[in-house]
Amino acid sequence: MRHLGRVGYEQTWARMRDFTDTRDALTRDEIWMLEHPPVYTQGQAGRAEHILAPGDIPVVQSDRGGQVTYHGPGQLVTYFLLDLHRLGFGIRSLVSRIEQAMIDLLAGYGIAAHADPAAPGVYVDHAGGLPGRAKIGSLGLRVRRGCSYHGLSLNVAMDLEPFARINPCGQRGLRMTQISELGGPDRVATVAADLEPHLLARLRPAAPSA
């Protein structure tokens, strides 16, 4: 488990690719927790029409799954450099485990959240007393050579305005929310420390079949 502070997106992405390309069967898995300076990242399936008005925020074409999202200070980003074969679960199981870790964390803050099998991520209903649902946590992963990289972003206490310049995750009109607005902590370091045990509990290796 590494806590990297605030680091650039592209340099971190390069480190993830290098880690994945050079690891072997004995390489220990790692989880990186960090923040990024303001940046839009476009997933492999991303469509240009979902980037509405980026302004002076750079747009980076990434190799993760999913559509466009925003990263910025006050958002916890967590990257999962895991050997899925060794852990014994596939990408769908990994996504569900990460989502549930975020849901477990939020429940501890008194925030009721849920996942949506049709749209990966974590959502809150009636956030701020407004109708409908809002997204609080996003997911975008890549698997190469049986190993994962990229990961989750969880909104803690950030400027949400840049999300209005895109269709977040390719969903028009999707509202975003964050932990600090729903009664939870407003420090990324606090949320990172609180999320860590939930991730470790959910990412235990699958039991071998009989």
Side-chain angles (χ1 to χ4, degrees):
M1 187 75 69
R2 300 187 186 276
H3 295 265
L4 304 182
R6 188 173 299 175
V7 289
Y9 180 81
E10 290 184 278
Q11 72 186 71
T12 310
W13 177 24
R15 285 181 62 188
M16 286 192 290
R17 291 198 310 269
D18 181 65
F19 181 95
T20 302
D21 288 343
T22 58
R23 69 180 300 167
D24 60 29
L26 299 179
T27 303
R28 295 181 67 186
D29 292 334
E30 296 191 5
I31 298 174
W32 299 354
M33 289 182 160
L34 52 111
E35 294 176 75
H36 286 311
V39 63
Y40 293 113
T41 67
Q42 179 74 291
Q44 284 187 305
R47 293 160 59 179
E49 61 262 33
H50 293 308
I51 303 173
L52 308 177
D56 60 354
I57 298 176
V59 179
V60 177
Q61 181 66 49
S62 179
D63 64 347
R64 62 165 174 78
Q67 298 272 343
V68 66
T69 195
Y70 170 71
H71 300 304
Q75 179 190 69
L76 173 62
V77 176
T78 303
Y79 291 136
F80 299 91
L81 296 110
L82 309 176
D83 184 331
L84 299 186
H85 291 323
R86 187 168 61 202
L87 288 169
F89 43 79
I91 186 65
R92 182 61 251 180
S93 177
L94 176 60
V95 167
S96 296
R97 290 164 185 263
I98 294 171
E99 289 172 336
Q100 193 58 52
M102 287 192 280
I103 292 168
D104 294 343
L105 167 79
L106 294 169
Y109 297 150
I111 301 169
H114 60 88
D116 179 351
V122 173
Y123 301 86
V124 177
D125 292 328
H126 309 295
L130 298 174
R133 72 179 186 179
K135 194 167 194 178
I136 194 168
S138 300
L139 266 159
L141 294 160
R142 174 74 189 270
V143 175
R144 190 158 71 190
R145 300 171 59 236
C147 298
S148 67
Y149 59 108
H150 293 293
L152 70 82
S153 57
L154 182 59
N155 304 335
V156 178
M158 62 188 302
D159 179 7
L160 296 175
E161 185 277 332
F163 283 109
R165 305 190 213 170
I166 59 173
N167 293 322
C169 308
Q171 299 181 55
R172 290 179 177 83
L174 177 62
R175 193 161 54 89
M176 306 298 288
T177 190
Q178 56 188 333
I179 291 172
S180 59
E181 293 180 352
L182 302 175
D186 62 1
R187 294 184 66 248
V188 170
T190 300
V191 174
D194 291 344
L195 179 60
E196 185 173 326
H198 293 294
L199 289 174
L200 294 177
R202 292 291 175 180
L203 295 173
R204 290 194 186 101
S209 56

